[in-house]
Amino acid sequence: MNPNIKRSLKFSLTIAVITFVLAAIFSIISSSILGGVVWFVGLFIVLLIVLIGILFDMMGIAATAADETPFHAMAAERVPGAKEAVMIVRNADRFASFCNDVIGDISGIVSGTATAIVVLQIANLFGKGDGSTLQIILSVVLTSIVAALTVGGKALGKYFGINASTRIIFFAGKVISLLENKLKITVFSTTKNKTRNKGQTR
């Protein structure tokens, strides 16, 4: 099998597994939290989930639009986050896939489930159960609002992702630097990237 195809299949399988696990975790957490709060707090949580999806979508777009050149000088001066920013740009396809497809799509799914829970909470507040006219109207209205905010927010995020890609990726690099240096969470494999760069040099 072609090595590139093999790597792509391996990455796709890894992303699928990560998505399954994260989707399950986020769904359980959001359902548990929403079940114990009043409806307006639940609505705030829904909007927060939508915002997370928009921000990660913006970072994914920024990774594909950014140029690594501005970060090299900063990396040479050991500016925190610069080296990680270079790694993001060099792995833009995988970074974008994680941000847009994994986190972005999970946010969309979880926000839909969370919206349904909030709708039931509001309907129960008025003494109306599942399947009532009020519940159906609330479901249509809130689902439409969440969808509009998601699509409109991502459209705006794409604009900033393209036009402010350097600043966005530098910020993402700082966050990754913090995760790797302070919390000891490995985001990029240095060994693999060194090997890849040597191969490219040859």
mmCIF file of all heavy atoms in Angstrom, residues 55-56 59-60 62-63 71 80-82 84-86 88 95 99 165-179 187-188:
data_model
loop_
_atom_site.group_PDB
_atom_site.id
_atom_site.type_symbol
_atom_site.label_atom_id
_atom_site.label_comp_id
_atom_site.label_asym_id
_atom_site.label_seq_id
_atom_site.Cartn_x
_atom_site.Cartn_y
_atom_site.Cartn_z
ATOM 1 N N LEU A 55 -14.996 29.338 17.311
ATOM 2 C CA LEU A 55 -13.589 29.674 17.555
ATOM 3 C C LEU A 55 -12.649 28.611 16.978
ATOM 4 O O LEU A 55 -11.631 28.951 16.364
ATOM 5 C CB LEU A 55 -13.346 29.834 19.059
ATOM 6 C CG LEU A 55 -13.980 31.068 19.719
ATOM 7 C CD1 LEU A 55 -13.739 31.045 21.222
ATOM 8 C CD2 LEU A 55 -13.437 32.349 19.112
ATOM 9 N N PHE A 56 -12.991 27.339 17.167
ATOM 10 C CA PHE A 56 -12.127 26.284 16.637
ATOM 11 C C PHE A 56 -12.182 26.244 15.115
ATOM 12 O O PHE A 56 -11.170 25.961 14.460
ATOM 13 C CB PHE A 56 -12.524 24.927 17.226
ATOM 14 C CG PHE A 56 -11.816 24.611 18.514
ATOM 15 C CD1 PHE A 56 -12.333 25.044 19.716
ATOM 16 C CD2 PHE A 56 -10.626 23.913 18.515
ATOM 17 C CE1 PHE A 56 -11.679 24.783 20.919
ATOM 18 C CE2 PHE A 56 -9.948 23.640 19.694
ATOM 19 C CZ PHE A 56 -10.487 24.065 20.908
ATOM 20 N N MET A 59 -9.838 28.874 13.962
ATOM 21 C CA MET A 59 -8.435 28.474 14.082
ATOM 22 C C MET A 59 -8.045 27.500 12.974
ATOM 23 O O MET A 59 -6.924 27.549 12.452
ATOM 24 C CB MET A 59 -8.187 27.845 15.450
ATOM 25 C CG MET A 59 -8.143 28.848 16.583
ATOM 26 S SD MET A 59 -7.460 28.164 18.118
ATOM 27 C CE MET A 59 -8.703 26.945 18.523
ATOM 28 N N GLY A 60 -8.960 26.611 12.601
ATOM 29 C CA GLY A 60 -8.685 25.681 11.515
ATOM 30 C C GLY A 60 -8.463 26.398 10.196
ATOM 31 O O GLY A 60 -7.541 26.071 9.441
ATOM 32 N N ALA A 62 -7.524 29.541 9.916
ATOM 33 C CA ALA A 62 -6.294 30.333 10.057
ATOM 34 C C ALA A 62 -5.057 29.483 9.805
ATOM 35 O O ALA A 62 -4.081 29.954 9.205
ATOM 36 C CB ALA A 62 -6.227 30.950 11.455
ATOM 37 N N ALA A 63 -5.085 28.223 10.246
ATOM 38 C CA ALA A 63 -3.935 27.338 10.051
ATOM 39 C C ALA A 63 -3.649 27.114 8.570
ATOM 40 O O ALA A 63 -2.489 27.066 8.149
ATOM 41 C CB ALA A 63 -4.177 26.002 10.746
ATOM 42 N N PHE A 71 6.977 33.516 11.796
ATOM 43 C CA PHE A 71 7.245 32.884 13.080
ATOM 44 C C PHE A 71 8.697 32.437 13.238
ATOM 45 O O PHE A 71 9.141 32.144 14.355
ATOM 46 C CB PHE A 71 6.317 31.679 13.273
ATOM 47 C CG PHE A 71 4.863 32.025 13.196
ATOM 48 C CD1 PHE A 71 4.056 31.496 12.196
ATOM 49 C CD2 PHE A 71 4.293 32.887 14.116
ATOM 50 C CE1 PHE A 71 2.709 31.809 12.119
ATOM 51 C CE2 PHE A 71 2.947 33.217 14.051
ATOM 52 C CZ PHE A 71 2.148 32.678 13.042
ATOM 53 N N PRO A 80 8.003 32.434 23.264
ATOM 54 C CA PRO A 80 7.077 31.345 23.577
ATOM 55 C C PRO A 80 5.909 31.283 22.586
ATOM 56 O O PRO A 80 5.266 32.301 22.319
ATOM 57 C CB PRO A 80 6.577 31.704 24.983
ATOM 58 C CG PRO A 80 7.664 32.543 25.566
ATOM 59 C CD PRO A 80 8.212 33.332 24.412
ATOM 60 N N GLY A 81 5.671 30.118 22.039
ATOM 61 C CA GLY A 81 4.565 29.929 21.110
ATOM 62 C C GLY A 81 4.955 29.996 19.651
ATOM 63 O O GLY A 81 4.214 29.514 18.788
ATOM 64 N N ALA A 82 6.130 30.590 19.351
ATOM 65 C CA ALA A 82 6.543 30.749 17.953
ATOM 66 C C ALA A 82 6.868 29.398 17.319
ATOM 67 O O ALA A 82 6.453 29.116 16.187
ATOM 68 C CB ALA A 82 7.741 31.683 17.862
ATOM 69 N N GLU A 84 5.800 26.511 18.228
ATOM 70 C CA GLU A 84 4.548 25.755 18.104
ATOM 71 C C GLU A 84 3.700 26.283 16.949
ATOM 72 O O GLU A 84 3.006 25.507 16.277
ATOM 73 C CB GLU A 84 3.758 25.828 19.415
ATOM 74 C CG GLU A 84 4.358 25.039 20.565
ATOM 75 C CD GLU A 84 5.593 25.685 21.174
ATOM 76 O OE1 GLU A 84 5.830 26.893 20.902
ATOM 77 O OE2 GLU A 84 6.313 25.015 21.941
ATOM 78 N N ALA A 85 3.766 27.607 16.701
ATOM 79 C CA ALA A 85 3.032 28.202 15.584
ATOM 80 C C ALA A 85 3.548 27.656 14.255
ATOM 81 O O ALA A 85 2.765 27.374 13.335
ATOM 82 C CB ALA A 85 3.144 29.722 15.621
ATOM 83 N N VAL A 86 4.883 27.508 14.158
ATOM 84 C CA VAL A 86 5.475 26.920 12.953
ATOM 85 C C VAL A 86 4.969 25.503 12.751
ATOM 86 O O VAL A 86 4.628 25.094 11.632
ATOM 87 C CB VAL A 86 7.020 26.929 13.044
ATOM 88 C CG1 VAL A 86 7.626 26.154 11.878
ATOM 89 C CG2 VAL A 86 7.547 28.362 13.042
ATOM 90 N N ILE A 88 2.177 24.250 13.795
ATOM 91 C CA ILE A 88 0.766 24.287 13.403
ATOM 92 C C ILE A 88 0.642 24.479 11.896
ATOM 93 O O ILE A 88 -0.122 23.787 11.218
ATOM 94 C CB ILE A 88 0.016 25.413 14.144
ATOM 95 C CG1 ILE A 88 -0.129 25.077 15.627
ATOM 96 C CG2 ILE A 88 -1.369 25.642 13.521
ATOM 97 C CD1 ILE A 88 -0.721 26.202 16.452
ATOM 98 N N PHE A 95 -4.198 19.875 11.765
ATOM 99 C CA PHE A 95 -4.704 20.837 12.747
ATOM 100 C C PHE A 95 -6.099 21.308 12.358
ATOM 101 O O PHE A 95 -7.004 21.378 13.197
ATOM 102 C CB PHE A 95 -3.752 22.029 12.848
ATOM 103 C CG PHE A 95 -4.100 23.009 13.926
ATOM 104 C CD1 PHE A 95 -3.731 22.780 15.241
ATOM 105 C CD2 PHE A 95 -4.790 24.174 13.616
ATOM 106 C CE1 PHE A 95 -4.048 23.699 16.241
ATOM 107 C CE2 PHE A 95 -5.119 25.091 14.610
ATOM 108 C CZ PHE A 95 -4.746 24.855 15.923
ATOM 109 N N CYS A 99 -9.633 20.823 14.366
ATOM 110 C CA CYS A 99 -10.427 21.989 14.776
ATOM 111 C C CYS A 99 -11.786 22.036 14.085
ATOM 112 O O CYS A 99 -12.819 22.222 14.737
ATOM 113 C CB CYS A 99 -9.654 23.275 14.480
ATOM 114 S SG CYS A 99 -8.204 23.515 15.520
ATOM 115 N N SER A 165 -4.757 35.557 10.293
ATOM 116 C CA SER A 165 -4.243 34.209 10.527
ATOM 117 C C SER A 165 -2.981 34.190 11.381
ATOM 118 O O SER A 165 -2.818 33.325 12.245
ATOM 119 C CB SER A 165 -3.980 33.505 9.187
ATOM 120 O OG SER A 165 -3.070 34.244 8.397
ATOM 121 N N THR A 166 -2.079 35.143 11.162
ATOM 122 C CA THR A 166 -0.813 35.169 11.906
ATOM 123 C C THR A 166 -1.053 35.336 13.397
ATOM 124 O O THR A 166 -0.499 34.599 14.226
ATOM 125 C CB THR A 166 0.105 36.299 11.401
ATOM 126 O OG1 THR A 166 0.369 36.102 10.008
ATOM 127 C CG2 THR A 166 1.416 36.319 12.165
ATOM 128 N N ARG A 167 -1.896 36.302 13.766
ATOM 129 C CA ARG A 167 -2.165 36.547 15.181
ATOM 130 C C ARG A 167 -2.910 35.373 15.824
ATOM 131 O O ARG A 167 -2.634 35.007 16.967
ATOM 132 C CB ARG A 167 -2.983 37.835 15.342
ATOM 133 C CG ARG A 167 -2.147 39.111 15.228
ATOM 134 C CD ARG A 167 -2.983 40.348 15.356
ATOM 135 N NE ARG A 167 -3.822 40.556 14.175
ATOM 136 C CZ ARG A 167 -4.693 41.553 14.046
ATOM 137 N NH1 ARG A 167 -4.866 42.398 15.049
ATOM 138 N NH2 ARG A 167 -5.390 41.686 12.949
ATOM 139 N N ILE A 168 -3.838 34.784 15.080
ATOM 140 C CA ILE A 168 -4.615 33.670 15.612
ATOM 141 C C ILE A 168 -3.733 32.456 15.854
ATOM 142 O O ILE A 168 -3.791 31.811 16.910
ATOM 143 C CB ILE A 168 -5.772 33.319 14.656
ATOM 144 C CG1 ILE A 168 -6.796 34.462 14.628
ATOM 145 C CG2 ILE A 168 -6.455 32.010 15.078
ATOM 146 C CD1 ILE A 168 -7.846 34.315 13.553
ATOM 147 N N ILE A 169 -2.893 32.140 14.877
ATOM 148 C CA ILE A 169 -2.014 30.973 15.013
ATOM 149 C C ILE A 169 -0.946 31.210 16.077
ATOM 150 O O ILE A 169 -0.557 30.271 16.795
ATOM 151 C CB ILE A 169 -1.376 30.621 13.652
ATOM 152 C CG1 ILE A 169 -2.463 30.167 12.674
ATOM 153 C CG2 ILE A 169 -0.337 29.517 13.820
ATOM 154 C CD1 ILE A 169 -3.320 29.022 13.182
ATOM 155 N N PHE A 170 -0.471 32.436 16.205
ATOM 156 C CA PHE A 170 0.499 32.743 17.261
ATOM 157 C C PHE A 170 -0.132 32.538 18.637
ATOM 158 O O PHE A 170 0.501 31.991 19.552
ATOM 159 C CB PHE A 170 1.005 34.176 17.110
ATOM 160 C CG PHE A 170 2.089 34.545 18.085
ATOM 161 C CD1 PHE A 170 3.133 33.659 18.357
ATOM 162 C CD2 PHE A 170 2.064 35.768 18.729
ATOM 163 C CE1 PHE A 170 4.136 34.000 19.267
ATOM 164 C CE2 PHE A 170 3.062 36.115 19.633
ATOM 165 C CZ PHE A 170 4.092 35.222 19.908
ATOM 166 N N PHE A 171 -1.388 32.950 18.777
ATOM 167 C CA PHE A 171 -2.105 32.736 20.039
ATOM 168 C C PHE A 171 -2.278 31.247 20.305
ATOM 169 O O PHE A 171 -2.056 30.769 21.430
ATOM 170 C CB PHE A 171 -3.474 33.422 19.992
ATOM 171 C CG PHE A 171 -4.326 33.136 21.198
ATOM 172 C CD1 PHE A 171 -4.086 33.798 22.399
ATOM 173 C CD2 PHE A 171 -5.354 32.203 21.137
ATOM 174 C CE1 PHE A 171 -4.860 33.529 23.526
ATOM 175 C CE2 PHE A 171 -6.128 31.922 22.260
ATOM 176 C CZ PHE A 171 -5.877 32.590 23.457
ATOM 177 N N ALA A 172 -2.657 30.498 19.254
ATOM 178 C CA ALA A 172 -2.802 29.045 19.397
ATOM 179 C C ALA A 172 -1.468 28.412 19.771
ATOM 180 O O ALA A 172 -1.410 27.480 20.587
ATOM 181 C CB ALA A 172 -3.326 28.445 18.096
ATOM 182 N N GLY A 173 -0.385 28.919 19.186
ATOM 183 C CA GLY A 173 0.943 28.421 19.514
ATOM 184 C C GLY A 173 1.292 28.653 20.972
ATOM 185 O O GLY A 173 1.895 27.789 21.629
ATOM 186 N N LYS A 174 0.908 29.811 21.506
ATOM 187 C CA LYS A 174 1.151 30.109 22.920
ATOM 188 C C LYS A 174 0.389 29.140 23.823
ATOM 189 O O LYS A 174 0.920 28.685 24.845
ATOM 190 C CB LYS A 174 0.731 31.548 23.238
ATOM 191 C CG LYS A 174 1.675 32.608 22.702
ATOM 192 C CD LYS A 174 1.207 33.999 23.124
ATOM 193 C CE LYS A 174 2.181 35.065 22.671
ATOM 194 N NZ LYS A 174 1.729 36.427 23.076
ATOM 195 N N VAL A 175 -0.847 28.842 23.435
ATOM 196 C CA VAL A 175 -1.660 27.909 24.234
ATOM 197 C C VAL A 175 -1.029 26.519 24.221
ATOM 198 O O VAL A 175 -0.911 25.861 25.258
ATOM 199 C CB VAL A 175 -3.099 27.849 23.697
ATOM 200 C CG1 VAL A 175 -3.894 26.752 24.418
ATOM 201 C CG2 VAL A 175 -3.791 29.194 23.862
ATOM 202 N N ILE A 176 -0.594 26.074 23.032
ATOM 203 C CA ILE A 176 0.044 24.761 22.921
ATOM 204 C C ILE A 176 1.354 24.730 23.691
ATOM 205 O O ILE A 176 1.683 23.732 24.346
ATOM 206 C CB ILE A 176 0.272 24.405 21.436
ATOM 207 C CG1 ILE A 176 -1.072 24.188 20.744
ATOM 208 C CG2 ILE A 176 1.137 23.146 21.309
ATOM 209 C CD1 ILE A 176 -0.974 23.948 19.262
ATOM 210 N N SER A 177 2.104 25.833 23.639
ATOM 211 C CA SER A 177 3.355 25.927 24.391
ATOM 212 C C SER A 177 3.093 25.782 25.886
ATOM 213 O O SER A 177 3.836 25.099 26.608
ATOM 214 C CB SER A 177 4.039 27.267 24.105
ATOM 215 O OG SER A 177 5.202 27.412 24.890
ATOM 216 N N LEU A 178 2.029 26.406 26.348
ATOM 217 C CA LEU A 178 1.645 26.311 27.762
ATOM 218 C C LEU A 178 1.275 24.874 28.128
ATOM 219 O O LEU A 178 1.688 24.359 29.175
ATOM 220 C CB LEU A 178 0.464 27.242 28.038
ATOM 221 C CG LEU A 178 -0.092 27.235 29.471
ATOM 222 C CD1 LEU A 178 0.959 27.770 30.440
ATOM 223 C CD2 LEU A 178 -1.367 28.056 29.562
ATOM 224 N N LEU A 179 0.515 24.219 27.237
ATOM 225 C CA LEU A 179 0.111 22.836 27.491
ATOM 226 C C LEU A 179 1.310 21.902 27.560
ATOM 227 O O LEU A 179 1.387 21.018 28.420
ATOM 228 C CB LEU A 179 -0.855 22.364 26.395
ATOM 229 C CG LEU A 179 -2.246 23.004 26.357
ATOM 230 C CD1 LEU A 179 -3.016 22.515 25.137
ATOM 231 C CD2 LEU A 179 -3.021 22.692 27.629
ATOM 232 N N VAL A 187 1.390 17.772 22.340
ATOM 233 C CA VAL A 187 0.478 18.064 21.228
ATOM 234 C C VAL A 187 1.126 17.683 19.907
ATOM 235 O O VAL A 187 0.518 17.035 19.066
ATOM 236 C CB VAL A 187 0.075 19.557 21.216
ATOM 237 C CG1 VAL A 187 -0.820 19.860 20.011
ATOM 238 C CG2 VAL A 187 -0.609 19.934 22.516
ATOM 239 N N PHE A 188 2.391 18.082 19.723
ATOM 240 C CA PHE A 188 3.138 17.738 18.518
ATOM 241 C C PHE A 188 4.292 16.815 18.882
ATOM 242 O O PHE A 188 4.968 17.017 19.890
ATOM 243 C CB PHE A 188 3.698 18.997 17.839
ATOM 244 C CG PHE A 188 2.661 19.871 17.222
ATOM 245 C CD1 PHE A 188 2.435 21.147 17.716
ATOM 246 C CD2 PHE A 188 1.895 19.429 16.162
ATOM 247 C CE1 PHE A 188 1.477 21.963 17.157
ATOM 248 C CE2 PHE A 188 0.923 20.238 15.600
ATOM 249 C CZ PHE A 188 0.717 21.501 16.094
#
